Every structure is written in structure tokens, then in C-alpha cells.
């Protein structure tokens, strides 16, 4: 029988077929030398790998080597591996003699499903259409040929601002208990740092699941206690509560600990037999079955050069204060708080990623390739496949809309509507000129002015561009933002 090699993002039971099949796990130190990772991300990956080795006991061979190649040289029998999640790793396994590559796992839809769907389409590929196809194909939240509730997407019901009293009454997600394996990981990382391997961000108690058992406990708790509030407050931000009602399961899906279809069926059951509101259930299913599978397929469907797209000619380097997660250097309340969230937890939810971090980078014209690297290494759930679509395509519009209809760029008004940040800020979201001009509001107009000739004209942009044309002070705004440059706002 071949030995099944499990990469560090293939750790759940659904990556094995046979309880007796020998397993190979390789912990490569070179991975942590190649990039500067968030300390808590490095901890989570090592902890998950080592916990899996402990669970499998004698069934697994666990190798600590410098590189994967070195590890593979120590194995005598034939090896098989599920399709890895990056182009680089896929090329690596395909080039090895004696290694068989199996189809991917850890996603709901197969590469063939996607090819069948995408093959018959002209023009841009849109998540909404793929999501509908995937729901029909896997019969998720459908009755007969119709979506339950009559609509495929209840997105419009998922955009409530945060509660006025600044509190969302949901029980906190269960936090895993650290054990001896975590203590060993922490000691090893301390030693690696002394040896010169660099990490960023603060260390802290492990907040994200490292085993399937922990991930399933978090999922069960989410479905029962947090899912009802997830939908309406999906886009809201609160300075006092970074987690709101989000599932905090992305790292568990991406480490392969949790099968996404299991989570989707659980959410459907919560609607059908436990009274969970449809807008929340459909919202969650749309994220997991729609967005997650869609961005996975786009990574493989588009050419390898997609991740290097830079159609808006964004040439500024990502500045040091952002690279180092130096939240204390930032006065803009929203950006400082979100950057502190990344520094302290290696995680913030979708809207801070898109509308605070990504939006700021887009406005300032930071290099998309550096941002891909930044999001990949600073977030506990960051991987190349998920980053390319989310950063290059969605957040930076660096491909001029291969997956979105317009850039996700906005001024302070959006942050003001969807959060409690602006009240406690030294800037004023309504102002674009002067000492208290909101850097987002001013940056928005400067961005549009700079990219007027690059952003393709379409109906969704036409109104915005007309507003820009009517701004009498745009030259002064542009000059002010040029002076602000890359300094921490
Ligand atoms: C600039 C940017 C970078 C991002 N980087 C990552 C990343 O490195 N890894 C990652 O998993 N997600 C990433 N996302 C998507 C999304 O922000 C996170 O999946 C989500 O915030 C994780 O928190 P959660 O588990 O509580 O998600 P929830 O809000 O509870 O959503 C449920 C699940 O849906 C999936 N999901 C939702 N949106 C997306 C999406 N756009 N792409 C892929 N999966 C999605 C995730 O698996 C998530 O766990 C990024 C988004 C943006 C805009
Ligand atoms: S005023 Fe501007 S910088 Fe301050 S919190 Fe609001 S959006 Fe952020």
C-alpha cells in the first residue's frame, strides 16, 4: 500500500481513505525561513501538524527536516498525495519519481465541476452564477428546482450596521485549550527566533483550532449560538469586538481540519430543523460554498501570471509600519484598530480586510504582489490560492475586474456607516481637505483621479466619475494626499 503524504493543509480525516494506510507528515523548517510569518500562524501550523502526528500514532511517520525533498528521500515505499494547494507545490510533487498525485480534496466542488460550469461561459466569471450552479449541483438549500425562500442570495439582508449600543449579544466562540504540544511548539519557535528566523506579530494563547475535534466543537457552537446573528451583522465592524458573530473557521477549513460540505450541511440542518434564520444560513453557505470554492477554482483556472497582475500600475512599496503591524504608529482609528487585530490575533474579519486594509493599500497604490505576500503571511488562514483572488482580484482590482464589476474603494462614509470607529477618531469622515481630513475620504478622490484613465468605464463607475468631475478642489486633495504619501496616517 502506498504511503499517503499529508501536507500541513491536509490534516483532517477526509484526506485519508483507509484507517490503516501508512501516513507521511513532513515538518519543513525551510518553509519558515523563506517568509516572515506571523508568530501565531507559525504556531498554529506546527501545532496542527504535530497534533495530527500524535493522533495517528504508529500509523504516521513524522519527519522534521529542512526541506520536503530531504524528507521524501528518507521514505522507501511509493508515496501518494492529494493535489496540493499551490502551483509551486503541485509542480514539486509532479516532478518526483514514485509520487502519485490524487485529485484535490477539502473543497465542495471538483475541478471538473468548475470546468463544466466555466467552459460554457462567455465574458467575466461571477461568483453569483457559480454559487447557484454549486447549490443546484450539490442540492444545498433547494426545494425541487427552486432555492428555499425563493431567492438564491439574501445578500441585501446581510448589511446591517453594528448595534447602536456597541454590543452584539452572542456567546464567545470556544477557545482551544493549549497542551504539551503547544508548549513544545512555543519553545521551538522561541529557539528558532534566537537562531535568526524572523516572525512578526505578537505571540499569544492559541485561539484557532489545531485538531478536527477542536474545529468541530467550534462549528457546533457557531451553528447553535452565533449563526443567527452572523447574517445581519456580517459586514459590521466594532472597535470593542473584532469577532462579532463570525465563525472563525477559515483556518480550520484551510488547514483541512474541517470538511466544508459538513459545515454546509450543518448550516442547512440548522435552518430546516432548528429554526435558524434563512438570511444567516444562506449567507454562511454563500461564503463557504460560493466564495471559498470560487476563489479556489479561479486560482487554477486563470493563468499563473494572474497573481502578478498590476493593471493600475501601483508602484509604491508597502511601508514598514504596515509590514511590521505597527498599529501604534497610526492615528486613523479604524486602521490602527484593525492593524492591532492583525498584530494580536493574525485575524480580522472580511470587511476590515477589504474595506480598511485593502482599501487603504488600493488608494495609496501599494504594489499588489507585496500585498499578496503580506496577507499570506500575516493571517492565520492565509494561503496563496485564497490570496490571489481576494487580494489581486477583489481587493486591489489589479486585473481590471476579472472577478469583480468595480474596485472595492470607498471613502470614510462607508466606515462611518458600518462601524463605531469614526466617533473616536482625530479625523472627520466628511472632510477631504485640511488637518482633520479623513485619509480614506481624501484618498478615495485621489485614487479616482489617478486612475481615471485606467478603470474601465461601466455603468457602475459612471456616476462616481461624474461626481469626481464636479469636485472643484480635486487638485488640492491630490496634492495633500501626495504629501501624506506612505506615512502612517
Ligand atoms: C484582502 C482579503 C484577504 C483575504 N484573505 C483570506 C485568507 O487568507 N484566507 C481565507 O480563508 N480567507 C481570506 N479572505 C476571505 C475572508 O475575509 C475570510 O475567509 C474570513 O474573514 C475568515 O473569517 P471567518 O472564518 O470568521 O469567516 P466567516 O465570515 O465566518 O465566513 C465563513 C467562511 O467562508 C469562507 N469565506 C468567506 N469569504 C471568503 C473569501 N472571500 N474567500 C475565501 N473564503 C471565504 C471562509 O472559509 C470562512 O471561514 C480574505 C478576504 C480579503 C478581502
Ligand atoms: S474618520 Fe476616517 S480614518 Fe477616522 S475612523 Fe473614520 S474612516 Fe477611519
Amino acid at each position: 500500500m502506498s504511503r499517503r503524504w499529508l501536507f500541513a493543509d491536509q490534516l483532517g480525516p477526509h484526506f485519508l481513505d483507509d484507517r490503516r494506510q501508512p501516513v507521511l507528515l513532513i515538518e519543513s523548517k525551510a518553509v519558515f525561513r523563506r517568509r516572515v510569518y506571523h508568530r501565531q500562524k507559525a504556531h498554529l501550523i506546527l501545532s496542527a501538524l504535530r497534533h495530527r502526528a500524535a493522533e495517528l500514532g504508529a500509523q504516521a511517520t513524522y519527519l522534521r527536516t529542512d526541506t520536503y525533498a530531504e524528507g521524501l528521500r528518507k521514505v522507501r515505499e511509493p508515496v501518494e498525495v492529494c493535489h496540493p494547494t499551490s502551483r509551486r507545490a503541485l509542480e514539486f510533487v509532479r516532478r518526483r519519481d514514485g509520487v502519485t498525485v490524487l485529485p484535490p480534496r477539502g473543497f465542495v466542488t471538483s475541478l471538473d465541476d468548475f470546468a463544466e460550469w466555466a467552459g460554457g461561459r462567455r465574458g467575466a466569471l461571477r461568483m453569483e452564477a457559480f454559487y447557484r450552479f454549486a447549490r443546484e449541483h450539490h442540492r444545498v438549500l433547494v426545494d425541487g428546482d427552486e432555492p428555499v425562500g425563493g431567492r438564491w442570495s439574501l445578500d441585501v439582508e446581510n448589511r446591517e450596521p453594528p448595534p447602536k449600543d456597541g454590543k452584539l449579544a452572542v456567546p464567545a466562540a470556544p477557545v482551544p485549550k493549549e497542551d504539551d504540544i503547544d508548549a513544545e511548539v512555543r519553545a521551538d519557535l522561541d529557539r528558532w527566533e534566537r537562531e535568526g528566523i524572523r516572525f512578526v506579530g505578537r505571540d499569544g494563547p492559541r485561539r484557532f483550532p489545531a485538531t478536527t475535534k477542536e474545529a468541530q466543537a467550534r462549528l457546533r457552537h457557531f451553528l447553535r449560538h452565533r449563526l443567527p446573528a452572523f447574517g445581519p451583522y456580517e459586514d459590521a465592524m466594532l472597535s470593542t469586538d473584532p469577532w462579532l458573530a463570525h465563525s472563525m473557521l477559515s483556518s480550520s477549513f484551510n488547514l483541512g481540519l474541517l470538511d466544508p460540505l459538513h459545515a454546509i450541511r450543518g448550516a442547512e440542518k440548522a435552518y430546516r430543523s432548528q429554526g435558524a434564520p434563512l438570511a444567516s444560513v444562506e449567507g454562511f453557505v454563500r461564503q463557504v460554498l460560493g466564495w471559498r470554492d470560487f476563489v479556489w477554482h479561479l486560482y487554477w483556472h486563470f493563468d499563473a501570471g494572474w497573481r502578478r497582475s498590476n493593471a493600475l500600475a501601483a508602484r509604491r512599496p508597502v511601508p514598514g509600519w504596515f509590514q511590521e503591524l505597527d498599529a501604534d504608529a497610526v492615528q486613523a482609528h479604524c486602521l490602527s484598530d484593525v492593524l492591532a487585530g492583525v498584530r494580536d490575533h493574525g485575524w480580522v474579519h472580511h470587511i476590515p480586510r477589504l474595506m480598511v486594509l485593502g482599501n487603504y493599500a488600493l488608494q495609496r497604490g501599494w504594489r499588489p504582489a507585496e500585498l499578496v505576500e503580506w496577507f499570506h503571511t500575516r493571517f492565520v488562514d492565509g494561503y496563496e490560492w485564497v490570496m490571489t483572488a481576494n487580494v489581486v482580484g477583489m481587493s486591489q482590482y489589479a486585473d481590471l475586474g476579472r472577478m469583480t464589476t468595480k474596485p472595492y474603494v470607498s471613502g470614510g462614509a462607508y466606515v462611518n456607516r458600518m462601524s463605531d470607529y469614526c466617533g473616536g477618531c482625530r479625523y472627520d469622515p466628511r472632510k477631504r481637505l485640511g488637518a482633520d481630513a479623513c485619509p480614506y475620504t481624501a484618498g478615495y478622490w485621489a485614487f479616482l483621479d489617478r486612475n481615471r484613465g485606467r478603470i474601465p468605464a461601466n455603468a457602475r463607475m459612471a456616476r462616481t466619475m461624474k461626481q469626481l468631475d464636479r469636485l472643484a478642489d480635486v487638485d488640492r486633495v491630490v496634492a495633500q494626499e501626495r504629501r501624506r504619501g506612505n506615512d502612517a496616517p
Side-chain angles (χ1 to χ4, degrees), residues 332-334 412 415 421-422 425 427-429 438-440:
H333 189 199
C334 55
V415 176
Y421 283 128
C422 299
C425 185
Y427 300 113
D428 182 337
C438 166
Y440 282 88

Side-chain angles (χ1 to χ4, degrees), residues 29-339:
K29 200 167 169 185
V31 167
F32 298 95
R33 255 200 307 268
R34 252 198 318 263
R35 303 188 136 109
V36 179
Y37 284 104
H38 196 295
R39 169 75 193 233
Q40 291 184 45
K41 180 187 179 108
H43 185 121
L44 181 63
I45 293 172
L46 288 181
S47 177
L49 252 179
R50 293 181 189 182
H51 274 97
R52 187 65 173 132
E55 277 167 10
L56 291 168
Q59 193 185 341
T61 295
Y62 192 74
L63 298 175
R64 290 184 192 184
T65 55
D66 203 52
T67 62
Y68 290 133
E70 192 188 322
L72 283 180
R73 279 198 294 275
K74 292 180 195 270
V75 179
R76 294 281 154 252
E77 64 268 69
V79 166
E80 59 182 30
V81 63
C82 295
H83 186 296
T85 57
S86 75
R87 285 178 188 274
R88 183 188 164 119
L90 181 63
E91 210 177 292
F92 174 81
V93 295
R94 281 190 174 153
R95 275 202 323 259
R96 318 303 306 176
D97 289 334
V99 175
T100 307
V101 183
L102 307 172
R105 299 187 185 185
F107 296 88
V108 182
T109 49
S110 69
L111 296 178
D112 288 345
D113 285 348
F114 188 82
E116 178 196 327
W117 172 77
R121 289 190 172 251
R122 289 220 201 110
L125 301 176
R126 296 284 177 243
M127 192 286 292
E128 292 73 15
F130 166 76
Y131 169 55
R132 178 174 168 166
F133 161 84
R135 278 210 14 217
E136 287 171 330
H137 198 79
H138 289 275
R139 304 221 43 82
V140 176
L141 290 176
V142 290
D143 286 333
D145 291 337
E146 296 300 317
V148 294
R151 281 179 292 159
W152 289 101
S153 171
L154 304 182
D155 192 22
V156 286
E157 292 172 38
N158 297 155
R159 295 178 197 157
E160 290 289 315
K164 288 254 178 313
D165 62 2
K167 281 193 238 89
L168 194 60
V170 287
V175 176
K177 247 204 186 127
E178 288 204 7
D179 60 11
D180 291 348
I181 294 179
D182 289 295
E184 185 202 46
V185 167
R186 183 159 288 112
D188 284 350
L189 290 174
D190 286 346
R191 185 165 43 78
W192 290 5
E193 281 200 273
R194 287 195 299 276
E195 289 169 11
I197 295 184
R198 210 166 87 71
F199 298 102
V200 286
R202 290 189 178 158
D203 192 12
R206 178 166 62 79
R207 287 172 190 274
F208 294 90
T211 64
T212 295
K213 201 168 156 211
E214 287 175 353
Q216 281 176 343
R218 181 166 289 184
L219 173 67
R220 274 195 306 276
H221 182 274
F222 170 74
L223 294 176
R224 176 170 296 197
H225 301 290
R226 297 164 60 82
L227 178 61
F230 171 81
Y233 297 110
E234 208 179 319
D235 286 3
M237 295 179 280
L238 268 181
S239 57
T240 46
D241 179 1
W243 319 102
L244 291 157
H246 289 272
S247 69
M248 296 152 64
L249 286 169
S250 48
S251 59
S252 305
F253 291 130
N254 297 354
L255 284 166
L257 298 172
L258 202 57
D259 182 349
L261 190 57
H262 172 72
I264 289 165
R265 296 287 181 220
E268 178 160 15
K269 188 166 161 223
Y271 165 69
R272 292 198 188 266
S273 50
Q274 287 143 23
L278 183 58
S280 284
V281 170
E282 188 282 317
F284 180 72
V285 168
R286 184 170 1 103
Q287 303 311 312
V288 182
L289 176 59
W291 278 112
R292 186 171 183 275
D293 263 45
F294 185 61
V295 304
W296 158 252
H297 288 299
L298 289 188
Y299 175 74
W300 299 106
H301 182 77
F302 289 153
D303 49 300
W306 185 39
R307 68 186 294 266
R308 289 186 293 277
S309 310
N310 189 4
L312 295 184
R315 297 216 174 84
R316 277 190 181 158
V318 175
W321 55 269
F322 197 82
Q323 294 278 15
E324 297 302 319
L325 312 178
D326 187 1
D328 298 336
V330 181
Q331 296 179 52
H333 189 199
C334 55
L335 184 55
S336 174
D337 190 65
V338 169
L339 208 54

